[in-house]
Amino acid sequence: MPRSIVPLSGRCNRRGYRSRSKAALPEQRQETLILSISTLRDALTEFGIVLRGGPYQTQRWETAYGMADAALKRSDGVTIFLYMDGVYNALAPQDFESMKKLPKDHIEALLDRGAQIFACLTCTDNRGLEDGRAYLKRVQVTGSTEAGEMVSKCDRIINL
Amino acid sequence: MTVYLVDEPFVDIAIAYAAKDSTAQIVLLQDAVYSAAHMRASGPVYVVADDIARRGLSSRMPPSVHTISYDELVAMMERERVVNFL
């Protein structure tokens, strides 16, 4: 089955906040809580990383991981768009005996921590990767047009 | 302030742009760290520790170049405008 094509929508960071029942809190406390959450949201930075480099040949994939890891540690939002040869990073069947951490391991680790990772559909098909059938399951395939939408919604863009 | 993220082959053009920006903070990434030793920038220059360690350059950085971690780099990028020369 071909993978579904996922359009991007909303903020690039879709991490949610758990809602609590307002009825359990006095009105003034509710206002304080809402203000605190609002302030926290404003304080977070949305990082968008466009990763154009494939694995191994350059350091780009490792730099992307280093920045994304640091951003997530600071509770910032991270969205990675795999573009051009960057789509190879998302392939699930990777093997490199002498490397402790492969690109797919970094991607899985970032996904586990709340990063969103998308791969360009056109780049995928251009490379014969058949709609990304061999990608890690949680990597979403989307159009490059939607990538522009992602870029416009992030606070900082890093083009690797 | 503006953070200039710079990698090869854009070091020269990035430095030329940054020279016109009195708020420029230049961060040399990846292979751009090889340029740190002969960098002539008016503003502060940074390198990421991981990049220089991988290339065996940790002991060769001039004192004027600041070595930072990814955590510090991300903190800088949170605070300042970011320009890519990558």
Side-chain angles (χ1 to χ4, degrees):
Chain A
M1 290 283 289
R3 293 169 63 99
S4 58
I5 310 307
V6 183
L8 295 175
S9 61
R11 296 282 295 175
C12 66
N13 175 14
R14 298 185 197 151
R15 287 169 304 146
Y17 292 86
R18 287 186 185 174
S19 60
R20 290 185 180 180
S21 167
K22 289 181 182 176
L25 295 169
E27 202 168 301
Q28 192 177 358
R29 179 104 171 81
Q30 286 176 30
E31 285 176 14
T32 308
L33 186 62
I34 290 167
L35 186 64
S36 301
I37 291 173
S38 170
T39 307
L40 184 61
R41 277 184 193 276
D42 289 344
L44 298 176
T45 303
E46 313 286 343
F47 282 94
I49 300 175
V50 180
L51 177 55
R52 294 172 295 143
Y56 316 128
Q57 197 165 355
T58 70
Q59 194 191 338
R60 291 171 185 269
W61 61 283
E62 292 167 294
T63 302
Y65 175 75
M67 289 182 180
D69 173 60
L72 289 169
K73 276 196 279 188
R74 298 174 63 84
S75 300
D76 289 328
V78 172
T79 297
I80 298 178
F81 187 72
L82 304 172
Y83 190 54
M84 300 166 77
D85 277 357
V87 296
Y88 288 121
N89 292 291
L91 289 171
Q94 295 178 20
D95 186 18
F96 200 136
E97 200 174 336
S98 60
M99 289 195 84
K100 287 180 185 170
K101 291 273 188 184
L102 299 171
K104 65 173 182 176
D105 300 323
H106 284 331
I107 287 178
E108 290 274 28
L110 294 174
L111 285 164
D112 287 344
R113 293 164 61 198
Q116 295 188 96
I117 302 186
F118 298 90
C120 167
L121 171 65
T122 307
C123 310
T124 297
D125 289 344
N126 288 164
R127 287 159 179 78
L129 298 174
E130 302 175 82
D131 293 333
R133 286 180 178 83
Y135 287 164
L136 297 165
K137 292 275 183 265
R138 289 179 289 167
V139 172
Q140 303 175 67
V141 181
T142 192
S144 54
T145 307
E146 285 80 4
E149 189 181 328
M150 180 199 89
V151 167
S152 68
K153 287 177 178 168
C154 288
D155 300 309
R156 302 286 183 276
I157 294 293
I158 300 117
N159 188 20
L160 283 167
Chain B
M1 305 289 267
T2 304
V3 176
Y4 287 70
L5 301 177
V6 182
D7 189 17
E8 291 291 356
F10 304 113
V11 174
D12 290 342
I13 193 166
I15 299 306
Y17 268 88
K20 296 173 183 173
D21 179 357
S22 61
T23 71
Q25 298 178 301
I26 295 167
V27 182
L28 302 174
L29 291 171
Q30 305 178 147
D31 280 348
V33 298
Y34 288 116
S35 303
H38 53 86
M39 179 66 58
R40 294 184 187 279
S42 52
V45 176
Y46 301 86
V47 292
V48 174
D50 185 54
D51 289 339
I52 56 171
R54 283 164 182 260
R55 293 163 177 81
L57 298 173
S58 300
S59 61
R60 298 187 186 188
M61 285 296 110
S64 58
V65 174
H66 308 281
T67 301
I68 57 173
S69 63
Y70 277 120
D71 291 347
E72 291 167 312
L73 172 59
V74 166
M76 279 173 68
M77 291 194 290
E78 278 180 5
R79 290 192 305 267
E80 319 295 353
R81 198 167 76 96
V82 175
V83 176
N84 286 263
F85 282 93
L86 297 170

